[in-house]
Amino acid sequence: MSAESLPTSDVIGLTRVAPFSRRGFMTASAAVAAGYTLAAGPVRADVIKTDTNGLTAGDAMIKLADGEMPGYFARPAGVSNPPVVLVAMEIFGLHEYIKDVTRRLAKLGAFAVAPDYYFRKGVDLTKIADIPQLMPIVNSKPDAELLSDLDSTVAWAKSQGGDASKLGIIGFCRGGRTVWEYAAHSDALKAGAAFYGSLVDPPNPVWPKSPTQLAAEMKAPVLGLYGEADTGISVAMVETFKAALATNKKAAEFKIYPGAPHGFHADYRPSYRKDAAEDAWSQMQAWFRKYGVLS
């Protein structure tokens, strides 16, 4: 099996879920019309919908050395120098959930940007209906290119009036791994929040080091938010990483939610757990305020 096709711990946690009733979920056509991906499974009818009142929001084209990268941004209207928060997406592409999270962050006062860093493959990930088709695309994204794309996103936000001296990053699932990787890369990052990001990678030549292997290299404090019932990322994995960070005297905190599965914040999926999601969102805000990302 090629490295690109190997199952990763985030995808294992995503796909090994308990059975559920389909009552209370959108039809597939309604989900697509609302902007959600089909690969993640049924979409909840009661998804959180954040409006753009008081915001400036929309599509972006982010300048890179090799072209332009699409993205989505949201920021408070009429506010100068808002702090910049990167939003690192799951494997499903830049779909409505990630856009809504971006708007939620803007409501907190941030210039939030979600870059579509898988764009070079020329495929709209939100239109792919099954996970095995996604794996060769997302697993072949080199970390070096990913980190460069995030740096370019920061530069773009700064050129648009964002305050990059107050830089944060938040990510979910594969994006949670991205948070840890970026925290080991960026000297400018003030803080990160990783929602159930994988910590140990299968062998992959384009991913030189997993987050656990980067414990000694962390440059920014990160809050790790994990589910105790995650079938791909075990509590033991989290505790091992936590110990490695402590040994290296790195600022990090973890919260593990009892009974919560992988994807507990994803309000569009069956994995959503309202209490855990709301608490984790509050924890993220407090973390970003503690380290000067949010006021």
Side-chain angles (χ1 to χ4, degrees):
M1 184 179 289
S2 67
E4 289 82 3
S5 300
L6 283 172
T8 53
S9 57
D10 49 5
V11 173
I12 291 169
L14 177 70
T15 54
R16 292 182 185 172
V17 295
F20 64 96
S21 168
R22 288 179 178 261
R23 293 170 61 186
F25 288 82
M26 297 183 193
T27 63
S29 58
V32 170
Y36 293 92
T37 181
L38 291 180
V43 175
R44 295 168 58 99
D46 59 348
V47 290
I48 296 172
K49 296 177 182 178
T50 304
D51 61 45
T52 56
N53 294 338
L55 305 180
T56 302
D59 297 329
M61 293 304 294
I62 297 162
K63 186 176 180 180
L64 306 175
D66 61 343
E68 287 186 314
M69 173 173 57
Y72 180 85
F73 78 96
R75 61 184 293 175
V79 175
S80 60
N81 302 315
V84 175
V85 177
L86 302 177
V87 182
M89 59 191 172
E90 318 141 304
I91 63 171
F92 305 115
L94 190 49
H95 70 127
E96 184 58 26
Y97 164 66
I98 296 301
K99 292 179 180 180
D100 200 275
V101 167
T102 304
R103 294 191 293 272
R104 294 175 211 178
L105 288 163
K107 295 277 189 177
L108 298 175
F111 185 158
V113 194
D116 189 2
Y117 38 68
Y118 296 117
F119 78 101
R120 290 179 184 84
K121 295 295 184 180
V123 179
D124 185 348
L125 300 189
T126 69
K127 300 295 189 288
I128 295 177
D130 81 66
I131 288 176
Q133 291 182 37
L134 286 171
M135 299 312 296
I137 299 171
V138 298
N139 286 356
S140 63
K141 176 71 174 181
D143 279 343
E145 185 181 77
L146 170 65
L147 298 172
S148 176
D149 288 347
L150 292 172
D151 286 342
S152 294
T153 304
V154 175
W156 176 83
K158 184 177 180 180
S159 76
Q160 301 298 307
D163 186 353
S165 71
K166 298 178 179 179
L167 176 63
I169 184 171
I170 181 173
F172 307 87
C173 193
R174 182 63 56 85
R177 175 191 183 273
T178 297
V179 169
W180 292 111
E181 296 284 324
Y182 198 63
H185 162 80
S186 174
D187 291 316
L189 187 67
K190 295 300 183 187
F195 285 71
Y196 35 86
S198 53
L199 303 175
V200 178
D201 302 323
N204 189 333
V206 299
W207 298 347
K209 291 184 179 181
S210 70
T212 296
Q213 292 170 313
L214 289 169
E217 300 175 40
M218 293 294 159
K219 298 179 175 66
V222 177
L223 173 66
L225 300 158
Y226 288 84
E228 178 265 336
D230 192 319
T231 55
I233 305 166
S234 67
V235 173
M237 285 180 180
V238 175
E239 293 297 340
T240 297
F241 186 41
K242 180 179 178 181
L245 290 167
T247 296
N248 286 282
K249 297 180 171 57
K250 301 299 180 179
E253 288 184 12
F254 292 83
K255 184 157 187 180
I256 299 173
Y257 291 92
H262 190 87
F264 64 79
H265 184 271
D267 55 86
Y268 70 101
R269 292 210 303 258
S271 58
Y272 179 58
R273 299 294 184 269
K274 186 175 187 290
D275 289 348
E278 291 179 350
D279 184 80
W281 191 252
S282 295
Q283 297 283 339
M284 174 276 296
Q285 292 179 60
W287 188 255
F288 278 176
R289 290 189 177 104
K290 177 178 180 179
Y291 289 100
V293 176
L294 297 176
S295 14

